[in-house]
């Protein structure tokens, strides 16, 4: 057992896009677990776009990261020492944990995961918050019906790709929007999307959507915002539904997100547009995980992961999210299992 553990803290609050010097590397002692605590070795860390919001000091649905304190996010870890009756050495757990090689957690902060049922990494993706975000946004707010047209922005990302597949399971005609020809091919050839658009090369995005959605849009699953969102909203059908999961195009903006006004669009289409975060559905996580697990075991869901190796490369993996470098879920593998 090493005596020191690397950790990454927030060194400064970014102005616009985060940079490497906004992250601070430190060595800290590896502590001993107190009563009802466990010492954990990090195996996988999840990096996600929402973390950019926590790097700012603005009021949001979750507390901001504190300067000089470790950044935290979803993690799969292994118990290396236990002072808890709930966990034994060797157990694998998931929780919201700091960016550290080793850390202490209360027994109430983590829960066990079973690597014999699914790969460990999948508990941070399709069987974790990512899959649940797609499931509840689409099923509770989007409510796709057979034969309807569903459009997914950020469709090759972890949430978007899951949402599109669920829409196909429900019998919808599904169009994905992504940022490369490789991703377009992945959506149509591997995931079964009916059509996909490369927004970087299609020219006018509204015209491209109008061509691929000749019957208009019944459900628009929003991950991106900006001009893509404006174009999709202009093509909504009567009684359309718009789950607003994210708006990554604006996360690094320093001038505010200025665009079209949505009120007239929503009135004319009698559409529902609703923002949400996955924790709104915390009391239904078991339901969502059960259904996702069933679809996965039946071969009706598939997923992709982009895995970056090495603790020191966590910031690069995070920054790559805003350039669309990942296909599916972006993870960092910090260490091997015992």
């Amino acid at each position: 057992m090493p005596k020191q553990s690397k950790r990454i803290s927030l060194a400064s609050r970014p102005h616009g896009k985060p940079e490497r010097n906004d992250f601070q590397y430190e060595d800290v002692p590896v502590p001993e677990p107190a009563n009802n605590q466990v010492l954990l070795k990090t195996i996988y860390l999840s990096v996600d776009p929402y973390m950019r919001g926590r790097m700012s000091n603005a009021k949001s649905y979750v507390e901001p990261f504190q300067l000089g304190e470790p950044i935290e996010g979803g993690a799969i870890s292994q118990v290396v020492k236990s002072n808890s009756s709930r966990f034994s050495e060797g157990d694998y757990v998931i929780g919201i944990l700091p960016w550290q090689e080793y850390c202490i957690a209360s027994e109430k902060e983590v829960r066990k995961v079973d690597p014999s049922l699914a790969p460990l990494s999948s508990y941070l993706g399709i069987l974790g918050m990512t899959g649940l975000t797609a499931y509840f946004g689409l099923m509770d707010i989007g409510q796709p019906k057979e034969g309807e047209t569903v459009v997914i922005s950020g469709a090759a990302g972890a949430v978007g790709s899951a949402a599109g597949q669920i829409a196909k399971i429900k019998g919808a005609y599904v169009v994905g929007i992504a940022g490369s020809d490789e991703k377009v091919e992945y959506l149509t050839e591997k995931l079964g999307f009916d059509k996909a658009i490369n927004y970087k090369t299609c020219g006018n995005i509204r015209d491209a959507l109008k061509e691929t959605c000749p019957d208009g849009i019944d459900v628009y699953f929003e991950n991106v915002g900006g001009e893509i969102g404006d174009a999709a909203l202009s093509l909504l059908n009567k009684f359309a539904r718009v789950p607003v999961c994210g708006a990554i195009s604006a996360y690094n903006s320093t001038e505010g997100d200025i665009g079209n006004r949505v009120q007239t669009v929503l009135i004319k289409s009698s559409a529902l547009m609703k923002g949400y975060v996955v924790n709104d559905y915390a009391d239904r996580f078991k339901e969502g995980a059960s259904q996702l697990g069933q679809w996965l075991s039946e071969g009706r869901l598939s997923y992709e992961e982009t895995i970056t190796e090495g603790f020191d490369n966590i910031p690069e993996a995070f920054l790559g999210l805003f350039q669309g470098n990942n296909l599916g879920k972006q993870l960092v593998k910090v260490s091997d299992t015992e």
Side-chain angles (χ1 to χ4, degrees):
M1 175 67 61
K3 295 183 179 180
Q4 296 286 308
S5 170
K6 292 181 183 178
R7 80 175 186 184
I8 299 176
S9 299
L10 182 63
S12 56
R13 300 201 183 278
H15 181 72
K17 182 182 176 182
E19 298 180 355
R20 195 64 165 69
N21 58 13
D22 292 318
F23 304 91
Q24 178 180 350
Y25 287 81
E26 302 169 290
D27 289 323
V28 295
V30 175
E32 290 290 324
N35 287 338
N36 303 317
Q37 290 184 335
V38 289
L39 174 62
L40 303 174
K41 180 179 78 167
T42 303
I43 308 298
Y44 289 103
L45 283 171
S46 172
V47 293
D48 301 283
Y50 82 88
M51 293 176 171
R52 173 60 184 87
R54 296 194 67 187
M55 297 177 76
S56 300
N57 203 25
K59 183 179 179 181
S60 185
Y61 59 87
V62 63
E63 288 294 314
F65 297 130
Q66 297 302 306
L67 291 175
E69 295 296 322
I71 296 170
E72 62 180 16
I76 295 288
S77 300
Q78 189 170 25
V79 177
V80 292
K81 286 187 180 181
S82 177
N83 244 335
S84 165
S85 59
R86 298 185 186 181
F87 301 99
S88 302
E89 292 183 13
D91 285 346
Y92 295 100
V93 299
I94 187 171
I96 302 298
L97 300 170
W99 285 4
Q100 291 185 197
E101 293 176 303
Y102 292 85
C103 69
I104 291 290
S106 160
E107 64 182 13
K108 296 180 180 180
E109 292 178 305
V110 294
R111 62 178 175 84
K112 290 183 187 180
V113 294
D114 188 345
S116 69
L117 298 179
L120 284 173
S121 58
S122 68
Y123 289 99
L124 288 172
I126 193 67
L127 296 180
M129 291 301 179
T130 297
L132 293 171
T133 299
Y135 176 83
F136 289 114
L138 192 72
M139 297 297 291
D140 190 73
I141 303 171
Q143 300 182 15
K145 301 174 180 62
E146 187 169 355
E148 288 191 325
T149 295
V150 176
V151 173
I152 315 283
S153 62
V159 174
S161 59
Q165 291 180 84
I166 295 170
K168 286 301 299 178
I169 289 171
K170 292 300 175 180
Y173 170 83
V174 180
V175 176
I177 304 172
S180 72
D181 290 341
E182 174 195 13
K183 291 179 178 180
V184 164
E185 182 178 359
Y186 166 69
L187 293 173
T188 55
E189 299 302 317
K190 186 167 183 179
L191 299 189
F193 282 52
D194 296 283
K195 299 284 185 180
I197 298 168
N198 181 346
Y199 72 88
K200 293 181 180 179
T201 60
C202 71
N204 185 292
I205 183 63
R206 187 181 187 279
D207 289 345
L209 278 171
K210 196 170 183 179
E211 181 179 345
T212 53
C213 305
D215 297 325
I217 298 173
D218 299 295
V219 180
Y220 173 54
F221 194 99
E222 175 70 281
N223 285 308
V224 174
E227 294 180 0
I228 291 174
D230 291 342
L233 291 176
S234 73
L235 298 173
L236 294 182
N237 288 332
K238 195 75 170 177
F239 304 119
R241 288 84 65 198
V242 183
V244 183
C245 174
I248 194 171
S249 67
Y251 288 172
N252 294 318
S253 173
T254 60
E255 299 177 357
D257 189 21
I258 299 173
N260 294 345
R261 304 287 191 264
V262 300
Q263 290 89 338
T264 301
V265 170
L266 298 179
I267 292 168
K268 287 182 177 179
S269 60
S270 299
L272 168 71
M273 186 176 189
K274 182 180 179 182
Y276 75 103
V277 294
V278 68
N279 283 340
D280 295 343
Y281 298 93
D283 60 344
R284 294 173 56 193
F285 279 178
K286 186 175 181 180
E287 166 205 330
S290 176
Q291 181 61 81
L292 291 166
Q294 179 182 330
W295 285 333
L296 192 63
S297 67
E298 293 171 349
R300 304 177 77 184
L301 276 181
S302 65
Y303 63 96
E304 201 72 36
E305 296 172 331
T306 300
I307 299 179
T308 300
E309 298 273 351
F311 183 85
D312 290 344
N313 294 321
I314 295 171
E316 280 70 25
F318 172 69
L319 296 175
L321 293 171
F322 302 100
Q323 298 175 9
N325 292 347
N326 60 301
L327 182 63
K329 181 64 178 177
Q330 176 67 64
L331 299 169
V332 179
K333 186 177 182 183
V334 174
S335 61
D336 293 321
T337 58
E338 295 294 337

